Amino acid sequence: MLLIPSVLDRGVTKPRVEATAIHPNVSKRKWFAVYTAARHEKFVQAQLIAKQIQSFLPLYTSVRRWKNGVRREIQYPLFPGYVFVCVDANERLPVVQTTGVVYIVSNGTAPLAVDDQEMHALRIGAQRASLSPHPLPSAGDTVCIKRGPFQGVRGHVQQDRGNLTFVVTIQLIQRSFAIGVQACDLELAG
């Protein structure tokens, strides 16, 4: 701690002012994709929450019907085998040590962060819309949503049973999800 002594300025004594060394503690936390053991996504998510690590497991609901006629809504992971964590790249050891975690998606030397815009779209979509898994788009115009909670998000448009579907791809893990949108909310991305 640095102590600034009193000074006289035109006969007025100013009080002592304490100043601390300024070290910007800018958070370098990013979202990373964590690959899990098969069907361990919810288990890994629960452990990460217990460790107080910010994580996100996007789910979608599907109606399942058994042979005995029972129908039930079940929540499945939107991206099987993946959970997202928000950590500093240097503080990933507790994540890797979590039971069920296989690895953090990386380029072989360092973990790769998920694009902020893609992660934002995924998190907003999970809160405000019903998401559904979607195959990776092969062709189509790239568009941008111009209004609403997804404003600024880029993706591809596809026609799905007469409805317009906006497909967002998480490039890092090569997985996509679809959101229903209105044509008037879209514009071609340049």
Side-chain angles (χ1 to χ4, degrees), residues 28-32 53-54 85-92 95 104:
K28 295 179 182 171
R29 295 165 54 100
K30 294 276 188 185
W31 285 99
F32 297 94
I53 297 172
Q54 185 178 359
V85 295
C86 186
V87 295
D88 187 310
N90 299 323
E91 299 173 351
R92 60 187 186 268
V95 174
I104 296 176

Side-chain angles (χ1 to χ4, degrees), residues 62-81:
S62 178
V63 176
R64 173 89 191 261
R65 185 175 178 189
W66 280 268
K67 290 181 182 179
N68 64 2
V70 175
R71 293 175 58 140
R72 184 166 289 156
E73 285 187 356
I74 298 177
Q75 288 191 319
Y76 294 105
L78 186 62
F79 307 122

Side-chain angles (χ1 to χ4, degrees), residues 31 56 58 78-79 114-131 145 149-155 166-170 177-179:
W31 285 99
F56 177 60
L78 186 62
F79 307 122
V114 177
D115 181 71
D116 290 337
Q117 193 176 34
E118 294 169 353
M119 197 65 206
H120 177 72
L122 180 59
R123 295 188 72 201
I124 294 294
Q127 292 174 359
R128 299 190 181 185
S130 62
L131 301 178
I145 297 180
F150 298 102
Q151 183 176 354
V153 175
R154 289 175 177 242
F166 181 74
V167 180
V168 178
T169 302
I170 306 293
F177 63 95
I179 305 166

Side-chain angles (χ1 to χ4, degrees), residues 36-164:
T36 68
R39 298 185 181 197
H40 279 69
E41 301 89 355
K42 292 179 183 178
F43 177 71
V44 168
Q45 169 79 359
Q47 289 185 75
L48 292 169
I49 289 171
K51 290 182 177 185
Q52 297 181 348
I53 297 172
Q54 185 178 359
S55 59
F56 177 60
L57 175 61
L59 302 171
Y60 73 98
T61 303
S62 178
V63 176
R64 173 89 191 261
R65 185 175 178 189
W66 280 268
K67 290 181 182 179
N68 64 2
V70 175
R71 293 175 58 140
R72 184 166 289 156
E73 285 187 356
I74 298 177
Q75 288 191 319
Y76 294 105
L78 186 62
F79 307 122
Y82 292 95
V83 175
F84 298 93
V85 295
C86 186
V87 295
D88 187 310
N90 299 323
E91 299 173 351
R92 60 187 186 268
L93 187 60
V95 174
V96 177
Q97 291 176 336
T98 304
T99 304
V101 169
V102 178
Y103 58 83
I104 296 176
V105 178
S106 69
N107 63 3
T109 57
L112 295 172
V114 177
D115 181 71
D116 290 337
Q117 193 176 34
E118 294 169 353
M119 197 65 206
H120 177 72
L122 180 59
R123 295 188 72 201
I124 294 294
Q127 292 174 359
R128 299 190 181 185
S130 62
L131 301 178
S132 61
H134 196 277
L136 195 61
S138 57
D141 290 335
T142 301
V143 295
C144 185
I145 297 180
K146 59 184 177 181
R147 65 177 151 252
F150 298 102
Q151 183 176 354
V153 175
R154 289 175 177 242
H156 299 277
V157 175
Q158 293 187 347
Q159 200 76 8
D160 185 27
R161 288 182 236 138
N163 299 324
L164 203 56

